[in-house]
Amino acid sequence: MEKFPADAEDGALAYYAHLEARLAGIRERLRRPLSLAEKILFAHWVDRGRLPVPGASTEAFHPDRVAMQDATAQMALLQFMSAGRAEVAVPTTVHCDHLIRARVGAREDLRIAEGTNEEVYAFLASVAAKYGIGFWQPGSGIIHQVVLEHYAFPGGLMIGTDSHTPNAGGLGMLAIGVGGADAVDVLVGMPWELQWPKRIGVRLVGRPSGWTSGKDVILRLAGLLTTSGGTGHIIEYFGPGTASLSATAKATITNMGAELGATTSVFPFDERMAAYLEKTGRARLAARARALAPHLTADAEVTAHPDEAFDRVVTIDLATLEPHVVGPHTPDLARPVSALADDVRAHGYPETLQAALIGSCTNSSYEDIGRAAHVARQARALGMKARIPFLVTPGSEQVRATIERDGLLADLEAIGATVLANACGPCIGQWQREDVAAGTPNSILTSYNRNFPRRNDGNPGTHAFIASPEVVTAYALTGSLSENPLAGIAVDGKIVSLAPPVADELPAAGFVAEAGGYTSPREDGAAVTVQIRADSERLSLLAPFPAPTLEDFQGLPILLKAAGKCTTDHISAAGPWLKYRGHLDRISDNLFMGATNAFADAPGTGFDVVTQEAGVPLARLARAYKARGLGWVAVGDVNYGEGSSREHAAMSPRYLGGRVILVRSFARIHETNLKKQGVLPLTFADPGDYDRLKRDDRVSLPDIRALAPGVPVPVVIRGADGGTWEMRAHHTLTAEQIHWFWAGSALNLMGARARP
C-alpha cells in the first residue's frame, strides 16, 4: 500500500530497476529503433505471444498507478466496491477539485463547497481510507498539477479518470485518460486494454522568444491537426526545441493534446525535467532517470529519420512561432494574436471582453503565474488595472503558497485580480457567473484547455477564446478583442508598449512544501464503513444492467440525430450537474440536454414516435421509451463523444434504454466507455447513410446474434410508410468486448467470473 506521496518515489525507482531488462527482450524481437512511446508501452505490455499492430490490435497493459478526480471517482468507486476486493491493486489517489464552484473568491468558495458537497467528500474519504487510496482534500489542488508535483515520473504509465491526464507527459510519462470502468479494471488487478496507438511525431526546432510560450505550441498544433486529427495516435515530441521548454511548459502542451483527440502526448526526458523533479523533492528519482536517459528518450535513429518511425511528422519552429489565440467554440480555430482583431470583426464575434481568466490545470505553474505577474507589474507601473473581471486559479496549494510567498499573487491582485480556489472552477463550468444573462452573446478569454459552447459558464451565448496566461493578462488590460495589446496599449492618449514577459521556471527558494490537504489510507481498512446516506440524492449504489436479448434490437426509434459537434458535455452536461455524478438516476435527467437534434427545433429535445409529440426533452423521452419497454438508437456525426472522459455520457444512455450509438466516427475514450457499459457503438460503413435517416424511422439489427470481431453489422431501417432499406455498420469490438456486451456490461462479466 502506498500511504504517503513520498512513497511514490520508491515505486518509480523499483520500476526503473527492471526497465533495461524489460526493453532488452523486445529489442531482440523487433530488431529496429524504438520511439519513446513504444518503449513505455512495451515496458508495461502484457505479452500474449504476438506483436502488436498499431491502429488494429487491442493490447493489454499493467499501468503503474491510477488517479481519479472527485466527479468521476464517485461512479468509478461505486463500481469498484462491487468487485469485493479488500484494497486497490495499484497505487491510487483521489483528488477533490471538480466540485468547488467559483463565485466570490478562494476562501468563501471553498467554505461553501465543503458544506454543499459534505456527503460526497465523506463518501470519497471513507472509500479511500477503506481501500488503500490516497485522498487529496478539497482545496489541495487540481488533480493534474498535484500528480505532476508528486507522482509523475519519466517512463511511467498511468491512467486517470479525466481526459487531461496526459498533463503528466510533461515529465516524460505516458498518462492516458479513461472512463471509470477502465480504471476499475486496474484497481482490481486486471490488465487494462487499449488499441495499440499509431504515432504522430512533432519535431520542435528553435527557441521561443518574446511573448511566445509552450501554450502557443499546442494552440498552433490544434489548428494544424484539428480536434480529431490525433484520434488513435500518441503525439511524441522530439527535436532540439524540446530542451528549450520547461517541464511545466511541456505539461501544458501534453495536457491539451486531449483537444486533438490524441490517446496521449509525451516529451523525452531532459535536464528541465530533472530540475523539476529535484525542486519537488525527488532528487533520487532525477538521478536515476539521468542514468537511464537512453531508455527515457527515443532512439537516435528515430529522431534522425522520423518519417520512418512515425505515421505523420509535423515540424514547428519555435523561433518563428507567434503567440496564438484559439476559439470561439472549438480549440482548433487558431490564428496568431496579430490576426485576431480582424478575425473578430470579420465573423461578428462580440469584441468587448467580459472576463479574463488564467490558471487551471493547463497553465497554473510557477512559471506561468510568474510571466503573467511580470505583465501585471508593468501595468501597475504604468498606472493600469484590469478593465474587466480578472480571475486567477492556482493549480495547487503548493503553487499558491509559493507564488504568495514570492509576491506574484500580490502583483496580480494589484491590478484587480480575484484569486479563486485551487480547483477546476470555471474551466469545467463551475462558475456561478452573474454578470451576463443566459443566452446573451459575450466574449471571454481564458488560459484553459477547452471552449465548447456552455463549457465555462453554461451560457450558450458565451464566445470563449483561449491563449497563454500572459496574453490573457495583457488583454485584461484592454478589455477588448479588437485591439492587440502586444503591439501597444493606449494610456492617457499615448500608446505604451509592454515588454515581453520573463519569469523563473522554478522558484529560487524552492516550493513551499505543503503537506496539508492529504489524508493517507487506513492500515485497518476493514474497520472503515463507507458513508452513503439512505436518502441521498447525490449518491446511490449501482444495480447491474440487464443482459440484452435479440428482441432488444428490433424496431428501435431514433432518439436523436445529433447535428454537428456532440461532445460529452452535450451528452451529459457538467456545471450544476456535477453534484449528481454519484447518482445515476438523478444525473440521467440531463441526457443530451445540450445536443442539437436534426429532428427538433430546440437543443435537447426530440420527437416521440409513439405519441407524435414534438419538443419533448430528450431525457424525458428516453424515460418514456424505457417505461414502454422500448430501447432506442442515438445517431451522431464525426468525432462523437469528444471532450471529457466522463463515463456518465455512456452510463446515462445505457440506464435510460439506449441500445445502439450509430455515428460517422467516435472519440476514443467515449467509444470505450460505451463498450464497457454494454451499449453497442457502431459507425456507418457509408457515412452518407447518416443523411438518409428520418425522424420516424425504426432501426433493427436482425443478425445481432452473429456479432463477431471485424464483421460488419447489417442494419435494417423501416420508414413510417412501411418501406425498408438496409445499411451496413462497422464496429471495433474484440472477442472479450463482445462478452461484455452480452453480459450487459464489463462489470457484470467481471462479477460473474469472480463468483465460484
Side-chain angles (χ1 to χ4, degrees), residues 20 24 52 55 65 70 115 230 249 254 262 392 445 500 505 558 587 692 697:
E20 193 168 5
R65 62 182 313 111
D70 50 355
T254 59
V392 180
L445 181 61
E505 67 179 89
I558 299 174
I587 198 170
R692 298 181 64 185
D697 286 344

Side-chain angles (χ1 to χ4, degrees), residues 254 271 352:
T254 59
E271 279 303 309
T352 300

Side-chain angles (χ1 to χ4, degrees), residues 553 556-563 566 571 591-592 595-599 618 622 625 631-637 640-641 649-650 652-654 656-666 670 674 679-684 690 693 697 699 701 715 727:
F553 296 90
L556 304 177
I558 299 174
L559 184 75
L560 86 158
K561 183 164 82 169
C566 192
I571 302 167
L591 181 65
F592 290 120
T596 299
N597 186 1
F599 299 152
L618 289 169
Y625 286 156
W632 47 265
V633 175
V635 176
D637 207 326
Y640 177 90
S652 287
R654 177 72 166 97
L656 294 186
R659 303 284 187 239
V660 178
I661 309 294
L662 175 62
V663 303
R664 282 173 165 156
S665 65
F666 283 105
H670 186 62
L674 291 169
V679 181
L680 183 61
L682 299 178
T683 56
F684 293 101
Y690 168 93
L693 292 171
D697 286 344
V699 179
L701 277 59
V715 181
M727 71 169 87

Side-chain angles (χ1 to χ4, degrees), residues 167 214-215 218 247-257 362-363 368:
N167 190 79
K215 183 78 163 193
I218 191 61
T248 51
K250 292 178 172 79
T252 292
I253 294 168
T254 59
N255 177 296
M256 278 195 69
T362 318
N363 279 106
D368 287 327

